[in-house]
Amino acid sequence: MCSTTSRPVFRRFVGAVAVGVALAATSGCTVPADAVAGISVTADGHLLGLMMVCGHQIDGATLYVDSDDVNKEVTVGSWTADRPLTPGLATWTLDSPAVGWTATRSLAPLTAKTTYSLYGWSKDNSWSASSISFTLADRGRLTPGKVRYDSIADNGDESTITVPIAEFKAKACQNM
């Protein structure tokens, strides 16, 4: 009995299915980022969270202990904005009550030699903010009016930089 399907057509079909399966397997279930998280300090030394929303909305932020082991990631603070954050810059103090924010988990004391990450999220998991990692030593090098955040270059490379707030507002959403 002869097959009516030619081998080249069958091979292309199998190849296309394999590519589709590979793409589906590597796409994952990540939430797209459309905001950029940063940190700064106030004039009196309080840790300040910054969220530059680029196009959609962010509902809150979480600070956690950054670890390669998911089981060791511990939330040390979480905040919900009273209203969804829309495009533009939002700031709030992490260690004390801030107007327009509710602490859903008050900030726990931060410790030396621990890496923390701050990121933003939406309640329906439709959008997130790129995170910023820092230690207390990184925080100690910040001055009021300067923001530490992860910048994305034109080629897609990420680097942690510290810039004036005006520059953060102007450039943080580039290459998102």
Side-chain angles (χ1 to χ4, degrees), residues 114-138:
T114 301
T115 301
Y116 299 95
S117 285
L118 177 69
Y119 77 99
W121 43 264
S122 59
K123 291 177 182 175
D124 64 0
N125 288 326
S126 59
W127 297 103
S128 67
S130 63
S131 64
I132 179 62
S133 294
F134 66 96
T135 63
L136 285 181
D138 297 324

Side-chain angles (χ1 to χ4, degrees), residues 62-150:
T62 298
L63 182 67
Y64 64 94
V65 173
D66 193 6
S67 174
D68 290 334
D69 182 351
V70 168
N71 294 323
K72 292 184 179 178
E73 289 182 354
V74 177
T75 298
V76 292
S78 188
W79 304 267
T80 303
D82 292 348
R83 286 182 284 226
L85 305 177
T86 55
L89 180 65
T91 64
W92 73 104
T93 53
L94 301 185
D95 57 357
S96 60
V99 175
W101 292 83
T102 301
T104 50
R105 179 178 178 129
S106 295
L107 185 65
L110 305 183
T111 58
K113 298 182 182 176
T114 301
T115 301
Y116 299 95
S117 285
L118 177 69
Y119 77 99
W121 43 264
S122 59
K123 291 177 182 175
D124 64 0
N125 288 326
S126 59
W127 297 103
S128 67
S130 63
S131 64
I132 179 62
S133 294
F134 66 96
T135 63
L136 285 181
D138 297 324
R139 177 195 175 183
R141 288 188 287 274
L142 288 170
T143 57
K146 300 283 185 163
V147 181
R148 177 183 171 92
Y149 78 103
D150 280 346

Side-chain angles (χ1 to χ4, degrees), residues 43-66:
D44 56 356
H46 292 276
L47 188 58
L48 190 66
L50 293 92
M51 195 67 58
M52 187 65 205
V53 181
C54 303
H56 292 86
Q57 77 177 44
I58 296 294
D59 296 312
T62 298
L63 182 67
Y64 64 94
V65 173
D66 193 6

